[in-house]
Amino acid sequence: MTSKPTEEEAKQSALSYLRAWGESPVPPTILATLITSLHARPLQPLPLSFPPVLLASTFLNLYSYTTDSAGITAAWSGLYLLLARRRKPEHMMQKFGTRGIVRGTTMGVCGINVLAGGWVYATMKKADDGESAR
């Protein structure tokens, strides 16, 4: 028979998923791709300043600076989330069209990045990062 996981095991599992998301180099890359697809046409310079920073965060993560990368990803994802929440779709079709779905996905990834990156930045030790890179 299988036993039900206790509350502590479930909480630990959720935190491990959150930590894995925050330490991964893939979410900032996906977010940079989504932001570029939304704001490249028509050209919007302010939102297009976010993808280079997110890609730099991915670069840091690949060089074993996971804590710094998580902090940068969380901060810039939060800034983009604040910027994106200002715009309100006027019609129902704008919410559920292709662009609206991509916008919603982008905002969802931003929210998860803020939570996961903030968790990793707050709980990881700085001394662990970069040791293998030196």
Side-chain angles (χ1 to χ4, degrees):
M1 285 192 238
T2 60
S3 62
K4 289 186 174 181
T6 63
E7 184 178 325
E8 183 65 31
E9 289 173 347
K11 184 178 180 182
Q12 197 63 6
S13 175
L15 292 179
S16 65
Y17 281 122
L18 200 62
R19 185 178 188 125
W21 181 279
E23 291 178 348
S24 175
V26 176
T29 307
I30 291 172
L31 185 58
T33 305
L34 290 171
I35 290 172
T36 303
S37 71
L38 281 172
H39 300 290
R41 197 170 195 146
L43 184 66
Q44 297 170 340
L46 180 62
L48 281 178
S49 64
F50 288 85
V53 176
L54 291 167
L55 292 175
S57 172
T58 300
F59 180 76
L60 283 174
N61 196 330
L62 292 174
Y63 273 92
S64 300
Y65 293 102
T66 54
T67 303
D68 297 329
S69 172
I72 291 170
T73 301
W76 283 83
S77 295
L79 286 173
Y80 182 79
L81 191 60
L82 289 174
L83 180 72
R85 294 232 351 126
R86 292 183 343 153
R87 183 180 156 264
K88 300 285 184 196
E90 295 176 14
H91 303 291
M92 185 63 82
M93 193 57 193
Q94 287 180 336
K95 286 183 182 179
F96 297 110
T98 305
R99 195 169 180 90
I101 292 171
V102 172
R103 181 176 177 265
T105 303
T106 304
M107 291 176 70
V109 170
C110 280
I112 295 170
N113 280 348
V114 168
L115 289 174
W119 175 256
V120 169
Y121 188 76
T123 59
M124 280 187 70
K125 296 177 183 173
K126 289 283 261 189
D128 294 346
D129 284 346
E131 292 300 320
S132 61
R134 292 182 186 164

